[in-house]
Amino acid sequence: MQLTGLRVSGLSKSFAGVPALREVSLDFPAGAVTALMGENGAGKSTLIRILGGDHRPDGGRLELDGVRLELATPADARSAGIRVIGQEPEIVPHVSVAENVYLGSLPRRSGRLLDRAALRERMRADLTRLGFDRDLDPDTIGSKLTAAQRQLVEIMRALTTDAKVIAFDEPTSSLSDHETESLFALIGRLRRQGLAVIYVSHRMREIFRLADRVAVLRDGALVGERATADTSDREIVRMMVGRDLSTLFARKHNTPGRVVLDADAVTTDDVTDVSLQVRAGEVVALAGLVGAGRSELAGALAGDLPIRSGEVRVDGRKLRLRQPRDAVRAGMGYAPEERKAQALLLHRGVRDNISLAMLDRLRRLRFVRGGAERRLARQYVESLRVRTPSIEQEVRKLSGGNQQKVVLARWLARKPKVLILDEPTRGVDVGAKIEIYHVIEELAESGVAVLVISSELPEVLGLADRIVVMQHGRVTGELDREEASEEAVLALAMAADLSHTSRGNP
Ligand SMILES: Nc1ncnc2c1ncn2[C@@H]1O[C@H](COP(=O)(O)OP(=O)(O)OP(=O)(O)O)[C@@H](O)[C@H]1O
Ligand SMILES: [Mg+2]
């Protein structure tokens, strides 16, 4: 059999002497989806960045269809036919989607002027061809795009020219269900067209649905490869972590205490008349589809987005929320969804980032501050398994999942009265997810009122005492732990559409 596709052999890469990849040899055959899995910091993105020409390997070689490649720049990778859909798409803020997609190959009229009509036409044709015509409007301005739409722009960019290899680095972490389905359909087509598809994800369900083969990295080394048909999630987790791991999480539920967070008829630009309460020791999950208004509600409760009418009370005291600081003073902690943009000091160390929210408290104890900070940072680096050479490492040098854990650690460490966590385990590996669940459980046990937003239903069902479901900016229902099931949550998340169909509209 003649092997075509991409082959990497003996690939190595270190950062400041710390190895991120160790002599990895791996085939990415044409016409197949190869999934790359491994814990946070295992080296997945580093491998993908080398393929994209963003990093130069310290050693090893790349071959495409038997021909050796030298990738010194991203342009080299592109001209070789390798496309990478990264975790943070670069979008020009003040120009349209269409211009963002065709950047560099814009149709010009009479040599200079941009031919907008031709551009829009070409964009619509490509959107339809790729199956994203419902998801993206060619005229939207870059700065107005959601995280999901940014990702789609990046995918469009990659696929408007011929490619032989396409690599996706956690593409679905910010996509809605519908967008995810469109992406999966697209990946299926690319595979049938004979592309070598590389797919990085922490979501086991996706791997078993999409991939033909799974390769597992641990500490930068290849642990093994399996055909998806011949393996199990249990075996993959064992390969990732190096030991058996129970991925089941059964929370101890306690009797909730007094009402701590009390939102009363809160209305914002995106949310209408939402009332909900969270008690001390209680974990309440906000469920719903992407775009239901959950993050907007959380942002408003945390003083990040303006409230038009309604009241927010903490421990019975009405809050005047003009800025996030007002919420923090009242005892609220809030880890937003887009952690990197909103929350991290990328050029500061892990320790500084974790202790950020603590400064007020630590400042009072000035003379023990250094020691207390270090102890705290070490404790959370350990309990959340943050992979970093030291607590002084700059956060921008950590892998994506480890950055997530640092922001989370900051708010967990603060032990506020109310803790709002928006997608706390996004981008986090299976082992660390369980650790995060345990920390949330412990906080609840110590009396914190926790409000969690999550798009992963098993997570919602495993963690929550109570589930509040939203759609179109309104609460459509509430479920107790005993009555909650995936079906029941989904029915409420799509309540408006379902009542339509029952009236006979398809
Ligand atoms: N620019 C950099 N400088 C220093 N170290 C880096 C840099 N980029 C990556 N690393 C280190 O290389 C290792 C591998 O990181 P990589 O981003 O490849 O992990 P990953 O498998 O993609 O993890 P995740 O699942 O969290 O995205 C990590 O220990 C990370 O801290
Ligand atoms: Mg990564």
Side-chain angles (χ1 to χ4, degrees):
M1 192 188 92
Q2 191 201 355
L3 183 102
T4 52
L6 182 70
R7 160 171 283 180
V8 311
S9 0
L11 210 60
S12 293
K13 175 78 186 172
S14 294
F15 294 102
V18 183
L21 284 180
R22 306 167 196 252
E23 306 206 1
V24 172
S25 299
L26 196 52
D27 283 329
F28 300 100
V33 178
T34 305
L36 208 51
M37 294 199 79
E39 290 183 288
N40 297 127
K44 306 177 295 294
S45 297
T46 303
L47 175 55
I48 302 274
R49 285 195 196 112
I50 290 175
L51 300 181
D54 284 324
H55 285 326
R56 302 218 56 182
D58 302 335
R61 55 194 281 160
L62 306 175
E63 281 164 52
L64 185 57
D65 295 339
V67 179
R68 181 153 188 188
L69 298 179
E70 281 293 340
L71 307 178
T73 64
D76 291 347
R78 271 197 301 279
S79 57
I82 302 177
R83 302 281 184 280
V84 169
I85 313 294
Q87 283 171 299
E88 296 140 42
E90 277 175 29
I91 303 290
V92 184
H94 51 272
V95 306
S96 71
V97 162
E99 285 163 87
N100 262 292
V101 168
Y102 303 110
L103 219 65
S105 65
L106 295 171
R108 306 261 167 196
R109 226 177 1 199
S110 59
R112 313 195 88 210
L113 272 175
L114 184 62
D115 188 345
R116 287 186 193 281
L119 189 64
R120 199 172 296 131
E121 203 51 35
R122 178 165 150 199
M123 175 91 193
R124 285 206 202 287
D126 278 333
L127 279 170
T128 310
R129 179 170 63 86
L130 298 172
F132 291 121
D133 40 326
R134 281 170 58 193
D135 304 306
L136 211 53
D137 174 355
D139 292 325
T140 312
I141 295 297
S143 58
K144 293 266 155 58
L145 295 174
T146 62
Q149 291 169 329
R150 289 163 171 263
Q151 192 94 40
L152 293 182
V153 166
E154 188 86 339
I155 293 172
M156 298 283 299
R157 276 178 188 155
L159 295 175
T160 48
T161 47
D162 279 341
K164 287 182 175 164
V165 179
I166 183 159
F168 294 91
D169 198 348
E170 299 189 50
T172 55
S173 58
S174 56
L175 298 189
S176 69
D177 291 352
H178 174 257
E179 290 159 335
T180 300
E181 286 307 318
S182 304
L183 176 69
F184 286 4
L186 173 72
I187 289 177
R189 287 203 301 279
L190 296 172
R191 175 173 166 272
R192 284 192 296 277
Q193 287 165 17
L195 270 80
V197 181
I198 306 172
Y199 191 86
V200 177
S201 172
H202 291 289
R203 298 184 179 172
M204 210 56 96
R205 282 191 194 186
E206 293 182 354
I207 301 298
F208 279 93
R209 198 176 139 193
L210 270 184
D212 303 287
R213 308 163 60 250
V214 188
V216 178
L217 293 176
R218 186 165 76 228
D219 290 335
L222 181 72
V223 186
E225 296 166 70
R226 297 283 185 276
T228 322
D230 304 334
T231 187
S232 62
D233 43 5
R234 202 173 146 171
E235 184 184 32
I236 293 174
V237 171
R238 195 189 314 131
M239 288 163 77
M240 282 170 59
V241 184
R243 62 190 157 87
D244 261 309
L245 185 73
S246 164
T247 49
L248 291 174
F249 170 75
R251 215 194 116 204
K252 297 186 285 274
H253 293 269
N254 21 288
T255 321
R258 65 184 198 285
V259 172
V260 182
L261 175 67
D262 188 1
D264 188 9
V266 169
T267 296
T268 74
D269 287 346
D270 304 289
V271 166
T272 312
D273 196 24
V274 170
S275 298
L276 67 87
Q277 298 185 329
V278 187
R279 295 168 174 275
E282 191 181 32
V283 179
V284 173
L286 264 183
L289 304 177
V290 171
R294 296 167 300 162
S295 295
E296 289 76 9
L297 175 64
L301 296 177
D304 221 9
L305 295 171
I307 294 182
R308 302 279 167 235
S309 64
E311 272 188 16
V312 181
R313 291 182 284 266
V314 168
D315 272 338
R317 195 177 310 152
K318 184 184 167 187
L319 307 188
R320 297 188 58 197
L321 294 170
R322 283 151 311 187
Q323 49 186 346
R325 197 191 302 160
D326 300 329
V328 171
R329 282 219 188 90
M332 252 196 244
Y334 168 49
E337 185 180 18
E338 301 220 2
R339 278 170 269 267
K340 197 144 168 197
Q342 297 179 20
L344 281 171
L345 302 175
L346 289 170
H347 292 269
R348 300 274 283 275
V350 171
R351 175 174 58 97
D352 282 353
N353 272 280
I354 291 181
S355 63
L356 198 66
M358 302 282 295
L359 288 184
D360 277 355
R361 238 195 270 172
L362 290 171
R363 207 172 284 138
R364 267 180 255 139
L365 311 164
R366 182 159 303 170
F367 66 102
V368 290
R369 179 168 153 197
E373 264 187 28
R374 273 194 294 279
R375 215 169 310 120
L376 199 77
R378 281 210 192 89
Q379 178 194 330
Y380 278 91
V381 160
E382 199 170 305
S383 69
L384 300 184
R385 299 153 58 102
V386 180
R387 199 192 133 109
T388 175
S390 98
I391 57 169
E392 307 302 338
Q393 179 83 336
E394 278 180 57
V395 161
R396 72 186 166 90
K397 293 182 176 167
L398 300 188
S399 76
N402 285 309
Q403 293 183 354
Q404 308 276 50
K405 295 184 211 165
V406 169
V407 187
L408 203 61
R410 175 194 305 165
W411 291 108
L412 298 173
R414 192 170 204 269
K415 290 200 177 62
K417 283 188 211 166
V418 181
L419 183 57
I420 304 176
L421 304 171
D422 197 349
E423 302 286 359
T425 64
R426 170 174 296 170
V428 165
D429 69 56
V430 279
K433 268 185 191 169
I434 305 289
E435 305 300 330
I436 290 172
Y437 300 156
H438 282 297
V439 176
I440 292 174
E441 174 177 56
E442 277 165 31
L443 288 175
E445 252 166 50
S446 72
V448 177
V450 186
L451 184 63
V452 181
I453 297 176
S454 171
S455 299
E456 289 189 47
L457 281 179
E459 180 164 299
V460 165
L461 296 171
L463 266 179
D465 295 294
R466 202 148 50 80
I467 301 172
V468 174
V469 189
M470 291 180 68
Q471 184 185 26
H472 303 322
R474 292 172 183 274
V475 172
T476 50
E478 209 176 290
L479 297 163
D480 265 335
R481 181 164 52 90
E482 290 82 14
E483 52 187 355
S485 64
E486 296 208 7
E487 294 73 31
V489 174
L490 277 174
L492 287 172
M494 300 190 289
D497 309 329
L498 295 177
S499 65
H500 266 289
T501 38
S502 65
R503 268 188 246 120
N505 305 338

